[in-house]
Amino acid sequence: MSTNWAGNVTFSSAQVVSPATADDLRAIVRGSSAVHVLGSGHSFSTIADTTGALVSLAAMPEVFEVSGHAVRVSAGMTLASLAVRLEAEGLALHTMPSLPHITVAGAIATATHGSGSRSLAGAVRSVEVLRGDGSVVELTSAGAPVSMGGLGVVTTVTLDVEPSFQVAQTVYEDVAWTTLLVQMEQIFGGAYSVSAFVDWQGGATIFAKHRVGEPEFRFPGHAATEPVHPVPGQPGSRCTVQGGVPGPWHERLPHFRAEFTPSVGEELQTEYFVPRTRAVTALRALAEMSTVISPLVQACEIRTVDEEPQWLSPAYDRDSVAIHFTWVPDTREVLRLLPRLEEAIAPRPHWGKLFTVPPALLAARYPQWDAFRSLLREHDPKGVFRNEFLTRYFGPAA
């Protein structure tokens, strides 16, 4: 793999190394001056890049150990695979990203959220990390889950789980933009997971994922009678079952089926988090720029995320609204637009997607920024895992 999934990042390393055992992995880490782990390649930023050994954990032995209300799993397992294993045990995660194709560690390291009210990082009890000197430590600090690969190679993750549950998904079309803004709290609190896809022309489509057995909210608009894809023009058959038909949590919470290419394929992505208290103001500010957003956007999704304790989660310490853009694959024009959006709404961006917020501004938006920088120095004093991305935002190791 010489590029990421979207093709907008060409990796600096000539090849991906795929160790098959813990000893192989340790030898790679100890024998390299620079290492970074590549998950499924679904990040759109250079967060996973390195000039040294680019490591895939896909060939490592799978770990799946259930203990009470927790499960210990291998970091390189995909969420689709983990979900099937959990369902067989009568268990569930509280959330699933929109696409189940990504790895457990990759989703956690970037605070990817998806369905439900918390990111997957919010379920982390501990992470097992192989450090640059070959030692292995188990970390429970609130700074450890969303680490962007900077603390070492995450080999296993222990997650909270709950009993399996059923979900029914219904899509509501022709919802007015003004209705979405006026009834924002009721709409986004109306189901277990709610996504509003807005066209920036005055309309919205709501994907409501209702946990079976919980009270139902009467959403505005009308229920779709045929499967709907979040991106206009794409086949709805690639999406998880809609139409209010109940099914297992892992077959409804993602937007996309695991056996199909998620989203569009040819795209770029950005996601911005703003405090829920100023979400309407931020959305109105973006709406005023609809004429410059519309030519570049394929889909825009709005979701809510509850406050989290993970230091570098974009939802750290505040209930947030996430505004996600799926852009056309025009890197130059998208990067020209992003500073205007960021100036208008002052967001915390998703770490694995495109953004241009300067390091100093980001540092000011995260109260635990310096604490995380100290955590990086503690666990990676030689900067083995400090790639260009981490150095840009947190400085060099020495």
Side-chain angles (χ1 to χ4, degrees):
M1 180 186 290
S2 60
T3 69
N4 64 340
W5 176 73
N8 70 302
V9 174
T10 299
F11 294 118
S12 303
S13 186
Q15 64 179 8
V16 178
V17 184
S18 300
T21 68
D23 287 340
D24 290 344
L25 177 60
R26 184 175 288 104
I28 291 169
V29 170
R30 295 189 68 176
S32 303
S33 59
V35 180
H36 219 80
V37 174
L38 175 70
S40 58
H42 275 82
S43 288
F44 296 80
S45 68
T46 56
I47 191 170
D49 195 24
T50 181
T51 56
L54 190 59
V55 177
S56 167
L57 302 178
M60 292 286 287
E62 286 195 342
V63 176
F64 180 81
E65 301 169 355
V66 176
S67 178
H69 298 292
V71 62
R72 179 173 172 264
V73 300
S74 43
M77 185 182 293
T78 66
L79 285 160
S81 177
L82 172 58
V84 170
R85 287 172 175 262
L86 286 173
E87 179 63 19
E89 299 287 334
L91 297 171
L93 298 171
H94 74 278
T95 187
M96 283 287 283
S98 297
L99 55 159
H101 311 66
I102 60 180
T103 63
V104 174
I108 290 166
T110 56
T112 295
H113 59 103
S115 57
S117 59
R118 293 178 295 152
S119 72
L120 190 64
V124 173
R125 290 193 179 187
S126 65
V127 293
E128 186 179 82
V129 177
L130 173 65
R131 299 191 291 192
D133 60 2
S135 63
V136 176
V137 294
E138 185 176 26
L139 304 179
T140 58
S141 161
V146 189
S147 65
M148 295 169 275
L151 303 179
V153 178
V154 176
T155 53
T156 66
V157 181
T158 300
L159 299 163
D160 289 327
V161 292
E162 60 184 86
S164 178
F165 55 94
Q166 296 270 303
V167 173
Q169 177 178 207
T170 304
V171 177
Y172 297 90
E173 299 181 299
D174 298 324
V175 179
W177 170 254
T178 52
T179 300
L180 180 68
L181 293 183
V182 171
Q183 298 184 26
M184 194 161 187
E185 287 301 317
Q186 298 95 318
I187 289 173
F188 283 97
Y192 185 77
S193 173
V194 177
S195 294
F197 287 87
V198 298
D199 59 16
W200 298 108
Q201 303 299 316
T205 300
I206 295 173
F207 284 61
K209 301 171 191 283
H210 173 75
R211 188 162 175 161
V212 175
E214 294 185 347
E216 295 192 37
F217 172 74
R218 184 177 179 82
F219 284 90
H222 62 83
T225 56
E226 298 291 337
V228 178
H229 195 287
V231 181
Q234 298 296 312
S237 58
R238 297 180 180 180
C239 299
T240 51
V241 175
Q242 301 166 11
V245 180
W249 58 281
H250 67 290
E251 295 180 358
R252 299 293 185 275
L253 292 181
H255 290 325
F256 308 108
R257 297 175 188 257
E259 62 268 28
F260 288 105
T261 298
S263 193
V264 186
E266 296 184 3
E267 65 194 74
L268 300 171
Q269 291 184 10
T270 292
E271 188 166 29
Y272 293 135
F273 291 68
V274 296
R276 204 154 167 173
T277 53
R278 59 177 177 87
V280 172
T281 300
L283 290 170
R284 290 190 189 279
L286 293 175
E288 291 178 0
M289 290 184 281
S290 62
T291 56
V292 293
I293 291 175
S294 293
L296 293 176
V297 73
Q298 299 190 66
C300 180
E301 180 179 13
I302 301 169
R303 288 180 284 194
T304 57
V305 185
D306 291 348
E307 67 172 296
E308 298 187 324
Q310 289 73 35
W311 292 349
L312 290 188
S313 167
Y316 174 76
D317 79 355
R318 64 194 196 190
D319 293 338
S320 299
V321 167
I323 308 166
H324 176 277
F325 296 91
T326 298
W327 304 108
V328 299
D330 188 335
T331 303
R332 186 181 70 173
E333 290 303 313
V334 169
L335 290 178
R336 285 180 60 187
L337 174 61
L338 295 187
R340 291 184 61 183
L341 307 187
E342 292 163 357
E343 183 179 3
I345 65 174
R348 291 174 180 169
H350 187 299
W351 295 107
K353 301 182 182 182
L354 293 179
F355 64 91
T356 63
V357 182
L361 285 183
L362 270 188
R365 293 171 190 171
Y366 283 92
Q368 299 295 337
W369 190 270
D370 288 339
F372 180 73
R373 191 180 313 199
S374 296
L375 199 66
L376 288 175
R377 287 197 296 265
E378 176 186 352
H379 292 284
D380 185 29
K382 295 184 178 180
V384 175
F385 305 98
R386 188 72 63 95
N387 60 6
E388 186 275 334
F389 183 92
L390 285 167
T391 299
R392 185 190 324 155
Y393 292 102
F394 298 97

